[in-house]
Structures are given as structure tokens and as C-alpha cells.
Amino acid sequence: KDSPMSIILSYDKQSLTDADLKQVVDDAITQQCTDLNLSNNELTSAGMHQLIRCLNNSRVREEKSSISF
């Protein structure tokens, strides 16, 4: 079986806050991303927990994926 193509979404330095995470999750699920870069934003640990919970519950979860923050 061929390995799936990596789809990287980068939101580096976008001044994102926890309030923006719903759109990030929607984008990640819609685009079936394997890598998500959220570096250099205004996210809190509570927001990151919410993000991880939402992505873990999605149907498009990949075995090998990464989130950078």
C-alpha cells in the first residue's frame, strides 16, 4: 500500500486565538491534513486541548500526523 500524500496546513504567525480554532479544525478535516502548524499564535493550553479532542474525534484522522505549536 502506498503511503498517503502529506497535506500541510500552516497558520504560523496568523495571530490566531482559541476563538479561531473551529475554523482551523474545519479546514484540517475538509482538507484531510496530515500536518498542522500553529506556531507563533495566541493559543492557550485550553484551546489546544479542544483542538486535539476535535481532531481525534474526526473521521479523517491519519495514523501519522503532527501538530506544531
Side-chain angles (χ1 to χ4, degrees):
K1 181 178 178 181
D2 293 331
S3 60
M5 187 172 88
S6 293
I7 299 172
I8 302 167
L9 292 182
S10 180
Y11 293 94
D12 187 30
K13 299 179 184 175
Q14 298 295 310
S15 301
L16 298 178
T17 66
D18 292 352
D20 299 310
L21 289 177
K22 182 181 181 330
Q23 184 61 51
V24 170
V25 168
D26 289 347
D27 291 348
I29 291 170
T30 301
Q31 297 183 39
Q32 298 183 3
C33 81
T34 56
D35 298 277
L36 181 59
N37 181 355
L38 297 169
S39 301
N40 304 301
N41 284 291
E42 306 297 323
L43 303 172
T44 67
S45 60
M48 294 309 297
H49 279 90
Q50 174 190 355
L51 173 73
I52 291 167
R53 195 170 40 251
C54 289
L55 291 176
N56 280 337
N57 290 333
S58 75
R59 290 190 233 169
V60 295
R61 191 173 79 192
E62 295 288 334
E63 287 183 20
K64 294 184 178 182
S65 60
S66 67
I67 299 173
S68 303
F69 53 95

